[in-house]
Amino acid sequence: GVQAVPKETEDKSRSGVDVSGLFSEMVKACATVDVVQKKLVYVFLCSYATLNPELSLLVINTLRKDCQDPNPMVRSLALRNMTNLRLPSLVEYVEQPLTAGLRDRAACVRRVAVLGWAKLHNLQPSSEIDAAVVNELYSLLRDPDPVVMVNCLRALEEILKEEGGIAINKPITHHLLNRLKECDIWGQSEVLRVLQRYRPQSEDELFDILSLLDSFLVSPHPPVMAATLSLFLSVSSNLPAISLAALERVSGPLLAACGSGSREMRFAAVCHIQLLLRSVPGLLGPHYKRFFCGYAEPAYIKERKMQVLVELVNDENVAMILDELKGYCTDVNTDTAQAAISAIGRIGRSYSDRCLQILTGLLGLKQDHITSAVVQTMRDLVWVCPQCSDTVCLALDGCEETLQDIQGRQALLWLLGVYGERISTAPYTLEVLIDGVRSEASLGIKMELLTATMRLFLCRPAETQDMLGRLLHYCIEEETDMCVRDQALLYYRLLHCGIEKTREVLQGRRSDPSLGVLIGRPAKPVSQWARCFNTLEPLSQGAVEAESDRSDSAMRCSDSSTNVLASSIAVDCAWIEECVRCPAVLQCSPQSLQAAMQLVNIQTLAFTPQHMLPWRVYLYTHTQLRVSEDGQEEEEGIKVILNQQPKDDDALRQFLTILITVLNTLSSEKD
Amino acid sequence: MISQVFILSSKGDHLIYKDFRGGAGNDIVSIFYEKVTALTGDQPPVVMNYKDIYFVHIRQGGLYWVATTTAGSSPFTITEFLNRLAALVKDYCGSLSEKSVQMNFALIYELLDEIVDYGYIQTTSSDVLKNFIQTEAVTSRPFSLFDLSNVGLFGAETQQSKVAPSSAATRPIQSSREQGGKSEIFVDVIERMTVVIGSNGLLMKADVEGEIRVKCYMPSCSEMRIGLNEEFSIGKSQLRGYGAAVRVDECSFHQAVRLDEFDSHRILRLCPSQGEQTVMQYQLSDDLPSALPFRLFPTIERDNGGRLLMYMKLRCDLPPKSAAINVCATIPVPKGSVSLSQELSSPDQSAELKPQSRAVVWQIARFAGGTQLSALFKLEVPSLSSASMLEVGPVGLSFELPKITATGLQIRFLRLSPIQPGPSQRWVRYVTHSDSYTIRI
């Protein structure tokens, strides 16, 4: 029938057939009285209007006529589609129906008209703002229909963007607050979001507002609850007691959202709970069981839940939590298994005996991904708790047979180097690796192997001397990678300076107990994260890394590579710190960074895992001078710490210019 | 604010694409799909970004429901919106699948037009929407009340003690118009159980999340009164040790529910909208009124031939007249398990070794209350060591318990006033699902 034609056309256009030739036919079909057909035609016209700006002028007449239709549904439909055409040339025809629309007796037409003005404004952002329209929109904030009111807020926010959005004064604020109950949850969230800009004029007013909003704070609808908390945190930003009370109050509904039937909602809730825990570490202690993982939950929820569990550990529940985490360590998903192992390691900072027992037990499984995670976790643990080293040294025996991946083997090498005197088999393990160094592909492993062998030589010279000689010989004479070669040369020369000097350089720090235990960490002020509450930031990958994990890997890297360089030439080197503004390097992979740097003869010594913040890269170059650089990715730019010998400002500037060029090239490529 | 909404099939076919703000590149959908599929595993994160475009997506009905937005948007709002959109599409099309979305694209575009304008959510209330939505839903199979093929899957009881066909609630809400004024209302009490049982058999954790859902096919709705158990109580302290009390820790209601008779008579009053809505949500932790539905008694040992022997006794502690259906136990086994031989206590069970998920999956179609089943699994594991035992377990159990609520919540009565003219059907259904039922070994 009549409906079939546009429907068919629509079907075709969806299946990729080019139907733009039918445009004029469709314009005619628009004149129908059948609402379903009208809607279909409008969908078509709006998606093709930009391709046929001339033809769509024809449409506007029909649309303008429909704006006079007695049926409000047709009026709103016509008005909405008229404003959806997105053609600046049509603006002059649209203004009159829009003005009429603001005064239409049907709320559904006014809703469309109000947003229509925002669309119109954004079509020609440079044009003058019509004060009469703005005034009318302000007065429509008092419209009896709550959706019209909320749309006015939205439209004014867009039209007045340059001026910082709608003016939120006291009368408007109280008007909006009083009508909040009439809105649906979407309207409520929108109003609450806009009100975040309001600053109450007195403490009395503040408390009036807060008590008015109290019921919204415990709303069973997560969008409303979260928007209310954001508002609470922003208006009471200088009253920490109120913020903390609000966090207590909101923990119930947030916990409920953690058990929501929608797993995406669960995820959002767990991520936000992590924010709360930064400021109130003990907040959900009694509810730790709510964060046990369901067996069918996706890995991304499990990982966050484990991070929460680690935060909630205390003397009473530690046994239960460890028991639960232990079950995840053999999960068929290797990411989940490794996350569980590292969670146990973090709990080990406070309860080392229990955790080491579990970790040691896991080594018995002889599975590469588990062993790798355990060895890395143990390395991290001894770095913080040196008292664990005895148990760790005993457990390491035989691990090298199972380990496959680079991170795991690197961790083992570090441990063998630092605690070699207590691991009886250390020389044999290293010897096997040295014998196979020709077929070793990983740069990181070779560097770590060099350092470990050097360290072992210092404490067990008789057993190690011969293999160290062979390794240095290979690295200096045969190795093609400049980086490895340079490090080997450095060690070789260092040995010439005498054993005492070598010891001084290589036996640096073994641990950093200052990173501290897990329990009783000081609470962070709410203001530190309030800004990102109820945004997508907490849900983004790697956004919420546990605080104390941030620095240690980076420290260790410097310990095993760059610091060696640094301290060996500490006599007359220049340490210079530079802050370079540069777009986010985080987006590019370490591999591409490394490849790019190699093109300009800069070697990448080491980088921290990508999710670590700040992300660090250690670079090294040696053309005419030797510069080692430690780049710390910060939010806006990168901090470059340069270590140069001999001091030469010109060369330094050159180096920085090259570095910035490379980084800029990389990030522009990304765009 | 939402810039675009699109729905993709699991294979990445574009089913629905709506650009509310304009100016987005055409390739945005492909960028999303590349990002989703580039990740290992089938569980990509909810939020991903490409430059400053943020994708928030949910999975429902095997489809990707995606919204693009900016970094400052509320994840709760966007997620809730996508869930609500999926629920509305389900209400209007009858079911959620690639096919139903494809067949009803015009209807879905119409819905999107009314729900969102210029990226701002206007309304998601089915009462409002029903005035605007004109397109009729297309169903792949003509709906028939006499299609009883799945009866029993979702058993139901009413005052008339009739059985509601399981397909009854999967038809488009608007079809009631053509059904000669046939109006029906479904009240479902749905509970999800999360349980952890320790290796010593002690209960470590038990949570129940429950909700009362009303699904309404009445074109014009009068007031409905739902009577709950009179001894229903909320909060920790009340009525403990007084036998039949039904208790929950926390409880919240849909804003349309009037509670003036709740304190005195435990009656919820509301005028239900067309389509599905959750009128009450509640939650109970650690203090279940009845015995746990399942207990497992495992014995695990190595035999001389280096095989792993797992003897599993599973007991169903439901009341004798009830039964659990679709019971499935997933038993993680050591890596490198090659083959499985099994002895099952009855023919309606089955078990198989799934090397990819490293587990033995033991399925029981129907499991009557008060009975016990047993199984002996012999696994060939060439690299079996004593440490391998660590890899066995914890056992995950999934099941459905029709006609049962774990909290004991019941609907005493369901009254519509004024009395509906013509034939109207009221259905009350109960079901408890396992959200996660874990038994450590």
Side-chain angles (χ1 to χ4, degrees), chain A residues 379-610:
Chain A
R379 173 199 63 189
D380 293 350
L381 190 58
V382 285
W383 181 255
V384 187
C385 310
Q387 68 275 16
C388 298
S389 55
D390 285 336
T391 321
V392 169
C393 290
L394 281 176
L396 287 179
D397 204 12
C399 284
E400 70 279 358
E401 290 158 22
T402 329
L403 282 173
Q404 303 278 328
D405 64 335
I406 292 170
Q407 287 84 2
R409 289 195 296 155
Q410 261 181 320
L412 179 67
L413 281 171
W414 186 85
L415 284 165
L416 289 176
V418 175
Y419 291 101
E421 80 273 17
R422 286 193 252 156
I423 304 169
S424 56
T425 55
Y428 309 105
T429 311
L430 288 184
E431 184 153 35
V432 172
L433 282 165
I434 290 169
D435 288 345
V437 74
R438 268 181 185 77
S439 49
E440 178 58 61
S442 155
L443 173 77
I445 295 277
K446 288 184 201 168
M447 309 271 276
E448 200 75 59
L449 182 61
L450 269 170
T451 312
T453 317
M454 282 292 283
R455 285 192 170 135
L456 196 64
F457 171 70
L458 292 174
C459 57
R460 300 166 76 165
E463 293 156 284
T464 326
Q465 185 171 16
D466 184 52
M467 62 177 94
L468 176 64
R470 273 184 285 145
L471 181 63
L472 286 176
H473 184 267
Y474 166 79
C475 289
I476 293 167
E477 297 294 329
E478 294 179 47
E479 175 60 47
T480 49
D481 190 289
M482 288 298 285
C483 223
V484 178
R485 199 168 156 261
D486 278 355
Q487 191 161 12
L489 271 173
L490 177 81
Y491 286 145
Y492 180 71
R493 291 180 190 138
L494 195 57
L495 288 168
H496 278 291
C497 300
I499 200 79
E500 277 319 306
K501 189 79 191 160
T502 314
R503 185 160 280 142
E504 214 175 279
V505 170
L506 276 170
Q507 287 188 333
R509 285 217 287 187
R510 286 176 163 195
S511 67
D512 185 1
S514 70
L515 286 172
V517 289
L518 186 69
I519 288 179
R521 265 211 321 265
K524 299 275 177 342
V526 175
S527 57
Q528 205 185 57
W529 51 265
R531 188 187 47 79
C532 72
F533 188 87
N534 201 20
T535 70
L536 299 181
E537 198 181 305
L539 279 75
S540 298
Q541 261 178 317
V544 187
E545 265 301 316
E547 295 289 312
S548 50
D549 264 0
R550 292 194 179 173
S551 45
D552 43 350
S553 273
M555 302 277 277
R556 200 168 317 96
C557 279
S558 63
D559 181 56
S560 62
S561 48
T562 337
N563 273 5
V564 174
L565 301 173
S567 37
S568 66
I569 46 182
V571 203
D572 57 350
C573 73
W575 283 100
I576 297 144
E577 277 193 38
E578 281 288 330
C579 267
V580 185
R581 275 202 65 82
C582 170
V585 191
L586 262 187
Q587 285 178 353
C588 67
S589 71
Q591 283 69 31
S592 57
L593 183 68
Q594 189 168 6
M597 291 293 177
Q598 268 170 359
L599 287 177
V600 290
N601 275 328
I602 300 176
Q603 300 290 341
T604 318
L605 286 183
F607 34 77
T608 54
Q610 252 184 317

Side-chain angles (χ1 to χ4, degrees), chain B residues 73-294:
Chain B
S73 293
S74 160
F76 296 103
T77 305
I78 308 271
T79 313
E80 183 87 355
F81 163 74
L82 290 172
N83 281 325
R84 184 75 193 122
L85 175 66
L88 280 169
V89 169
K90 189 173 170 222
D91 277 351
Y92 274 91
C93 305
S95 64
L96 272 192
S97 69
E98 189 177 336
K99 204 173 170 196
S100 67
V101 169
Q102 237 162 10
M103 285 193 303
N104 291 294
F105 75 91
L107 174 62
I108 296 171
Y109 277 118
E110 202 183 348
L111 262 175
L112 275 172
D113 251 346
E114 299 298 339
I115 296 174
V116 183
D117 192 8
Y118 206 40
Y120 297 110
I121 307 169
Q122 300 293 299
T123 180
T124 54
S125 144
S126 37
D127 283 334
V128 178
L129 289 169
K130 73 177 173 197
N131 303 318
F132 292 92
I133 304 304
Q134 305 277 323
T135 313
E136 296 292 343
V138 189
T139 43
S140 49
R141 188 162 45 93
F143 168 72
S144 154
L145 194 62
F146 303 103
D147 179 8
L148 298 173
S149 55
N150 290 322
V151 169
L153 183 87
F154 205 119
E157 254 174 357
T158 62
Q159 290 147 304
Q160 297 94 2
S161 221
K162 282 190 204 158
V163 175
S166 65
S167 60
T170 61
R171 63 187 164 96
I173 46 175
Q174 290 182 323
S175 61
S176 46
R177 278 191 214 151
E178 291 72 51
Q179 303 263 319
K182 172 140 195 62
S183 50
E184 284 183 300
I185 198 150
F186 295 83
V187 176
D188 295 339
V189 182
I190 301 160
E191 298 191 343
R192 290 180 289 124
M193 270 185 122
T194 309
V195 168
V196 179
I197 301 173
S199 47
N200 48 9
L202 289 179
L203 180 63
M204 316 288 276
K205 159 186 169 162
D207 277 344
V208 178
E209 311 270 348
E211 59 188 43
I212 299 181
R213 262 190 231 163
V214 172
K215 185 145 190 170
C216 175
Y217 289 108
M218 298 191 173
S220 62
C221 247
S222 51
E223 191 193 63
M224 178 167 76
R225 296 164 82 231
I226 305 173
L228 309 181
N229 317 45
E230 270 176 324
E231 64 275 30
F232 180 80
S233 71
I234 303 169
K236 279 279 181 209
S237 60
Q238 300 169 30
L239 284 172
R240 290 190 70 169
Y242 288 90
V246 177
R247 193 186 65 78
V248 298
D249 292 338
E250 271 159 49
C251 189
S252 63
F253 303 92
H254 190 277
Q255 54 198 17
V257 176
R258 270 161 298 155
L259 296 170
D260 38 339
E261 287 183 72
F262 185 73
D263 284 340
S264 50
H265 296 105
R266 297 304 185 216
I267 293 171
L268 309 175
R269 291 172 53 207
L270 75 154
C271 298
S273 314
Q274 259 188 48
E276 189 173 289
Q277 65 202 113
T278 301
V279 297
M280 173 174 147
Q281 280 174 293
Y282 54 92
Q283 189 256 320
L284 172 65
S285 285
D286 284 334
D287 203 8
L288 301 189
S290 49
L292 288 172
F294 293 101

Side-chain angles (χ1 to χ4, degrees), chain A residues 63 67 70 77 89 95 109 119 123 160 183 191 213 264 283 299 311 317 321 323 337 340 342 500 541 580 639:
Chain A
L63 288 172
C67 285
L77 189 65
S89 57
E95 279 181 344
V109 182
K119 296 180 199 171
L123 264 184
L160 305 175
C183 303
V191 170
L213 289 175
E264 290 83 7
L283 184 62
E311 300 290 319
N317 63 25
I321 289 182
D323 236 20
S342 104
E500 277 319 306
Q541 261 178 317
V580 185
K639 186 161 90 187

Side-chain angles (χ1 to χ4, degrees), chain A residues 138-182:
Chain A
Y138 267 112
S139 65
L140 277 174
L141 284 173
R142 308 208 171 260
D143 193 279
D145 182 75
V147 181
V148 173
M149 175 183 85
V150 177
N151 279 356
C152 279
L153 277 183
R154 294 159 163 164
L156 286 169
E157 285 282 275
E158 297 222 13
I159 295 171
L160 305 175
K161 202 185 288 160
E162 301 279 296
E163 307 169 14
I166 180 174
I168 296 293
N169 56 26
K170 191 169 171 179
I172 288 184
T173 303
H174 287 267
H175 169 71
L176 292 174
L177 285 172
N178 288 330
R179 296 196 54 189
L180 206 51
K181 282 215 158 68
E182 297 167 35

